[in-house]
Each structure stands twice: as C-alpha cells, then as structure tokens.
C-alpha cells in the first residue's frame, strides 16, 4: 500500500506541474473521491499542499 500511495502522489505531482488539470480533477482521476483527503495525502508525501506545489513548480519553470 505504501508503494501505491507514493506512486499515486508522484503521478499527482507530475500532473500538477503540467497545469492542465484542476486539483479536483487530478484527485478524482487518482481514485480520491474527496479532494480534502487527496490534499492531506499529497501534503504528507510532498510536504506542500497541491496548490502550493503547483505554484512553486510553475515559478521554477518560468524563463528568466
């Protein structure tokens, strides 16, 4: 179960960095019916909420 959770959160991180889907869409597609549960699980693995993770990832990718 731990491996699966980490895999799902890695996939979530990849999809959040792409910026094409909302957090709710990512959560639902990964099997989370409740986006709050998804956010809690994501933060436990990544250390940031999904929205904050996305914002930080997008800031890093902007050309200087």
């Amino acid at each position: 179960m731990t491996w699966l959770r980490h895999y799902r959160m890695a996939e979530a991180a990849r999809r959040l960095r792409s910026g094409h889907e909302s957090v709710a869409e990512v959560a639902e597609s990964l099997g989370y019916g409740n986006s709050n549960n998804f956010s809690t699980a994501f933060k436990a693995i990544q250390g940031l909420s999904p929205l904050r993770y996305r914002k930080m990832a997008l800031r890093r990718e902007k050309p200087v």
Side-chain angles (χ1 to χ4, degrees), residues 18-59:
S18 76
H20 300 294
E21 298 173 275
S22 70
V23 172
E25 289 171 332
V26 172
E28 185 177 333
S29 70
L30 293 173
Y32 286 88
N34 182 320
S35 59
N36 288 331
N37 290 345
F38 169 72
S39 292
T40 300
F42 188 87
K43 188 172 184 177
I45 300 296
Q46 298 293 340
L48 300 168
S49 71
L51 286 175
R52 188 160 192 154
Y53 179 89
R54 172 179 274 165
K55 286 178 185 177
M56 289 183 73
L58 291 175
R59 261 190 256 145

Side-chain angles (χ1 to χ4, degrees), residues 1-8 45:
M1 257 345 228
T2 300
W3 177 85
L4 180 60
R5 185 176 185 204
H6 282 272
Y7 174 80
R8 289 164 76 186
I45 300 296

